[in-house]
């Protein structure tokens, strides 16, 4: 793999490489990366989709650098804005008389320099509390606290001049924001002209690009955008027309959100539901868009020491122009939906296709790009066929490298069990499915004496199971994932108790629990995307066979990530149980063979007695020990 990466760099090509669990993927790209950096004197950018992996790469760099004889390796880890504490916001919230609430305690600790990042808070913190104090609208050069701000320092380091930094490790979101800014002609966030870009966990790239290119609007947020732009323009101009024009646009915004709130009230069943917005009538949207275009033009020609503020206002106003044009029907390259995000009516717009953006902003031949992950491929005869789904989704242009298989002995160390008697899941028989899946899950957890990670694809299912388990007398400890980005605490508790951990979301990837503490992984339901989700609805509309071309490939990428949590070392033993009878032989689903071919588990049974014998023969059960 290292040689493939070196070869791609030498020939100025891009490379896509699937690297199985346990081959030492980060070493495989860090070794050539270090040598390339030394030869070129230009930084190497590594983009990941998890903070844990970013921190691990940072450590690996030191280790490999010392083995290669490099005395210093200058590197920085750049996380998203939301991971850093903002002292300016904390200072605004500080009330000495109110010191008892969790928020007041948090504010005080930030102002006392005890907390710089969310990761500094032991035991984690809820999103709702943290959202009050994280960086969300940085003042940059104008901030009183910039000299002691970890976020400000990080942003300066990732944008360092060539020769000042060797490795820049960022999350994929930050890399994408940088690509967007550079494509739009504004100042980028990350250094210019890197020697090499490595994107690890590249199976997440499409979703990350969509998230980064999704613009969210709330009524309050939109008014703030307009107020900020007005202040900047008034400082530069004495134009008396500005005030009435801004008031006109604000009235349009008010009418739009009145309609959105009515739609949400009638259609949305849950806060995170994405719903279609009905046609906006009686609002002069075209006139509003024209006024916004004039503001955008005025901002684009301004020169000032406050360049970053002007850039941010320019970007925000351009987003508003797109929103008005989408509602007016003159812009049809966007998907649009409404949701009740964080208790506030929110409208989101997202470009329909992202492949064109990546083709020209990333895979353009200016810098070699390496895409790698343990799960990039589908089944297929040739490498082109195996990498085809992601190639099309990402607009990838470049070489396909041989897949590097995991060295772990799945044939002898694992068995896959499919629960054939659990009824199919659908909305009408949800209760019957959950009840049957719950009973099967209980039986499986008892078989391995706990030591089980259960992965859910729906939070509602996890809550249902958690409530039922709480009312039972269990032979093992029960844990459930916590809100927030770091799950280290709950993983440590799970390992200590050898119990059962219920999880969703972040646990499908990036979690590494080696040894007998994790002896079983249960997939509660196959992780198919929601068909009514606007993004998948659009992707399905372009496909001749949506199930075969969109839903199954997407499910397989996620399933392969989830099942990769089970075997993490050469000596690990374990059981993979899938509580979804659509995968059983009797169901005769045409994707069964694709799933079995894509997963490395070759011993497959639907007979619980066969599974019991395997568990006993391999000594996975604790009862006989």
């Amino acid at each position: 793999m290292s040689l493939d990466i070196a070869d791609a760099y030498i020939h100025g090509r891009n490379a896509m490489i699937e690297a199985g669990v346990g081959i030492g993927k980060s070493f495989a790209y860090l070794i050539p990366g270090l040598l390339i950096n030394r030869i070129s004197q230009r930084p190497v950018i590594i983009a990941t989709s998890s903070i844990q992996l970013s921190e691990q790469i940072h450590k690996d760099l030191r280790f490999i650098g010392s083995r290669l004889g490099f005395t210093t390796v200058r590197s920085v880890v750049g996380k998203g804005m939301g991971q850093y504490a903002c002292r300016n916001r904390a200072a605004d919230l500080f009330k000495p008389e109110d010191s008892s609430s969790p928020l007041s305690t948090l504010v005080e600790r930030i102002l006392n320099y005890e907390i710089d990042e969310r990761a500094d808070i032991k035991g984690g913190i809820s999103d709702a509390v943290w959202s009050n104090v994280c960086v969300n609208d940085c003042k940059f050069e104008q901030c009183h606290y910039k000299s002691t701000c970890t976020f400000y320092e990080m942003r300066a380091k990732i944008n360092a001049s060539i020769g000042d930094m060797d490795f820049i490790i960022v999350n994929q979101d930050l890399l994408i924001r940088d690509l967007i800014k550079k494509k739009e002609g504004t100042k980028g966030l990350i250094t210019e002209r890197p020697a090499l870009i490595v994107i690890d966990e590249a199976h997440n790239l499409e979703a990350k690009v969509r998230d980064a290119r999704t613009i969210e609007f709330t009524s309050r947020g939109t008014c703030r955008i307009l107020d900020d732009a007005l202040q900047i323009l008034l400082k530069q101009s004495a134009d008396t027309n500005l005030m009435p024009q801004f008031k006109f646009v604000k009235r349009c915004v008010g009418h739009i959100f009145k309609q959105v709130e009515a739609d949400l009230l009638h259609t949305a069943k849950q806060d995170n539901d994405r719903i279609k917005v009905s046609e906006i009538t009686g609002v002069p949207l075209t006139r509003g868009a024209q006024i916004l275009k004039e503001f955008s033009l005025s901002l684009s020609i301004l020169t000032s020491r406050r360049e970053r503020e002007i850039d941010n206002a320019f970007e925000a106003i351009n987003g508003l122009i797109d929103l008005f044009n989408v509602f007016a029907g003159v812009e049809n390259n966007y998907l649009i939906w409404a949701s009740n995000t964080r208790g506030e009516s929110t409208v989101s717009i997202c470009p329909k296709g992202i492949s064109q953006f990546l083709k020209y902003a990333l895979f353009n031949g200016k810098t070699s790009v390496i895409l790698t992950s343990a799960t990039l491929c589908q089944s297929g005869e040739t490498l082109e066929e195996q990498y085809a789904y992601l190639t099309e989704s990402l607009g990838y242009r470049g070489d396909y490298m041989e897949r590097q298989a995991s060295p772990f002995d799945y044939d002898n160390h694992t068995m896959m069990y499919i629960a054939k008697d659990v009824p199919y899941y659908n909305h009408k028989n949800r209760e019957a499915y959950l009840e049957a899946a719950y009973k099967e899950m209980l039986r499986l957890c008892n078989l391995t004496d706990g030591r089980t990670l259960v992965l859910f694809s729906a939070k509602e299912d996890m809550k249902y199971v958690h409530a039922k388990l709480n009312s039972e007398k269990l032979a093992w400890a029960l844990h459930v994932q916590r809100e927030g980005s770091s799950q280290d605490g709950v993983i440590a508790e799970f390992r200590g108790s050898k119990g059962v951990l219920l999880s969703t979301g972040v646990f499908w990837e990036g979690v590494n629990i080696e040894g007998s503490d994790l002896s079983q992984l249960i997939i509660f339901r196959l992780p198919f995307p929601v068909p009514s989700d606007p993004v998948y609805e659009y992707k399905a509309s372009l496909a001749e066979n949506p199930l075969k071309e969109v839903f199954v490939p997407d499910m397989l990428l996620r399933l392969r990530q989830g099942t990769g949590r089970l075997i993490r070392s050469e000596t690990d033993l374990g059981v993979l149980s899938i509580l979804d009878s659509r995968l059983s032989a009797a169901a005769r689903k045409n994707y069964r063979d694709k799933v079995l071919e894509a997963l490395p588990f070759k011993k497959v049974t639907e007979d619980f007695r066969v599974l019991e014998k395997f568990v006993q023969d391999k000594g996975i059960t604790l009862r006989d020990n």
Side-chain angles (χ1 to χ4, degrees), residues 325-525:
N325 284 337
V326 170
F327 274 130
V330 298
E331 170 62 84
N332 62 2
N333 288 322
Y334 284 86
L335 302 169
I336 184 164
W337 64 86
S339 58
N340 222 323
T341 310
R342 292 178 290 279
E344 206 170 357
S345 299
T346 306
V347 178
S348 302
I349 60 170
C350 166
K352 284 180 176 174
I354 60 141
S355 57
Q356 289 299 104
F357 165 75
L358 284 173
K359 193 179 281 184
Y360 296 109
L362 185 62
F363 306 122
N364 54 25
K366 290 179 184 172
T367 303
S368 288
V369 178
I370 310 299
L371 299 180
T372 185
S373 163
T375 56
L376 293 177
C377 294
Q378 308 285 323
S379 55
E381 296 294 316
T382 64
L383 284 176
E384 283 80 0
E385 286 173 5
Q386 290 166 17
Y387 286 109
Y389 178 66
L390 275 184
T391 295
E392 197 170 322
S393 299
L394 299 175
Y396 173 74
R397 294 191 290 195
D399 298 334
Y400 305 110
M401 299 304 183
E402 286 295 335
R403 297 167 71 175
Q404 307 295 327
S406 171
F408 300 153
D409 187 359
Y410 285 89
D411 290 358
N412 292 309
H413 288 186
T414 65
M415 179 172 276
M416 176 173 162
Y417 168 71
I418 298 166
K420 68 180 189 301
D421 297 325
V422 174
Y424 290 178
Y425 176 91
N426 62 48
H427 288 295
K428 288 177 187 170
N429 77 336
R430 181 171 179 264
E431 286 280 330
Y433 162 77
L434 284 173
E435 192 57 40
Y438 169 76
K439 284 177 182 166
E440 188 72 349
M441 191 199 92
L442 209 52
R443 185 163 72 138
L444 286 161
C445 291
N446 288 331
L447 177 65
T448 55
D449 297 308
R451 297 175 300 147
T452 298
L453 175 64
V454 188
L455 291 177
F456 294 86
S457 48
K459 274 188 179 169
E460 290 76 22
D461 292 356
M462 184 174 79
K463 285 176 185 171
Y464 175 94
V465 168
H466 186 230
K468 278 190 77 74
L469 285 172
N470 266 336
S471 64
E472 298 258 8
K473 193 176 179 185
L474 303 170
W476 26 261
L478 177 64
H479 308 275
V480 66
Q481 79 173 71
R482 292 179 186 143
E483 194 182 327
S485 58
S486 176
Q487 299 294 336
D488 293 348
V490 76
I491 289 171
E493 287 168 17
F494 164 71
R495 295 193 78 144
S497 73
K498 296 180 173 36
V500 172
L501 173 53
L502 310 181
S503 60
T504 181
V506 293
F507 276 84
W508 281 81
E509 54 187 86
V511 172
N512 188 24
I513 306 171
E514 283 185 29
S516 62
D517 294 345
L518 177 60
S519 295
Q520 177 171 215
L521 180 81
I522 296 178
I523 303 287
F524 204 74
R525 189 147 51 94

Side-chain angles (χ1 to χ4, degrees), residues 544-598:
E544 280 182 35
N545 184 334
L547 182 69
K548 186 180 172 185
E549 295 170 45
V550 177
F551 293 106
V552 169
D554 196 274
M555 178 273 286
L556 271 176
L557 285 179
R558 191 142 186 251
L559 182 65
R560 290 184 69 205
Q561 273 297 319
T563 56
R565 299 314 99 214
L566 181 62
I567 301 298
R568 305 301 299 178
S569 78
E570 289 173 354
T571 56
D572 278 4
L573 299 164
V575 171
L576 167 67
S577 300
I578 298 182
L579 309 187
D580 195 323
S581 57
R582 288 175 294 181
L583 211 53
S584 66
R588 297 180 179 277
K589 296 289 183 187
N590 57 11
Y591 51 77
R592 173 183 154 93
D593 288 346
K594 283 190 180 301
V595 172
L596 296 183
E597 191 184 329

Side-chain angles (χ1 to χ4, degrees), residues 30-216:
L30 289 176
I31 291 167
L34 277 155
L35 297 168
I36 287 164
N37 166 253
R38 282 297 185 267
I39 292 160
S40 68
Q41 295 299 302
R42 281 156 53 192
V44 173
I45 295 172
I46 297 171
T48 75
S49 59
S50 68
I51 292 168
Q52 292 91 337
L53 182 57
S54 295
E55 300 284 11
Q56 186 58 50
I57 290 165
H58 204 230
K59 287 179 195 164
D60 290 346
L61 262 174
R62 302 279 170 281
F63 175 77
I64 298 167
S66 68
R67 288 299 175 96
L68 292 178
F70 300 150
T71 49
T72 57
V73 179
R74 297 164 302 173
S75 61
V76 57
V77 176
K79 302 170 191 172
M81 255 188 194
Q83 294 302 319
Y84 297 90
C86 177
R87 288 199 175 87
N88 191 55
R89 293 185 76 197
D92 287 345
L93 291 167
F94 183 58
K95 291 176 184 158
E97 68 280 2
D98 175 28
S99 59
S100 56
S101 73
L103 182 58
S104 297
T105 309
L106 178 63
V107 162
E108 210 166 321
R109 292 184 67 199
I110 290 168
L111 292 173
N112 289 338
Y113 299 93
E114 292 173 44
I115 294 171
D116 290 314
E117 298 179 32
R118 187 172 184 165
D120 296 335
I121 302 167
K122 286 188 170 61
I125 187 170
S126 74
D127 292 342
V129 175
W130 181 252
S131 65
N132 293 290
V133 293
C134 65
V135 178
N136 74 341
D137 192 11
C138 187
K139 295 185 183 301
F140 292 100
E141 285 74 20
Q142 274 69 49
C143 183
H144 300 304
Y145 297 92
K146 69 177 183 184
S147 61
T148 59
C149 177
T150 309
F151 171 71
Y152 184 83
E153 181 190 13
M154 176 276 290
R155 286 290 278 263
K157 282 182 177 177
I158 67 170
N159 211 339
S161 301
I162 288 173
D164 289 348
M165 191 58 65
D166 301 320
F167 276 78
I168 296 167
I169 305 161
V170 294
N171 58 28
Q172 289 178 16
D173 310 76
L174 208 52
L175 175 68
I176 296 155
R177 286 266 354 106
D178 175 67
L179 295 174
I180 291 168
K181 280 183 170 289
K182 285 170 181 167
K183 187 172 180 286
E184 289 173 349
T186 55
K187 187 171 169 53
L189 305 172
I190 306 176
T191 190
E192 299 282 344
R193 294 180 58 241
L196 182 73
I197 298 172
V198 178
I199 300 179
D200 201 343
E201 299 173 322
H203 60 277
N204 283 321
L205 188 59
E206 182 191 0
K208 293 288 185 183
V209 174
R210 284 200 189 281
D211 287 348
R213 301 203 75 201
T214 295
I215 312 173
E216 290 186 345

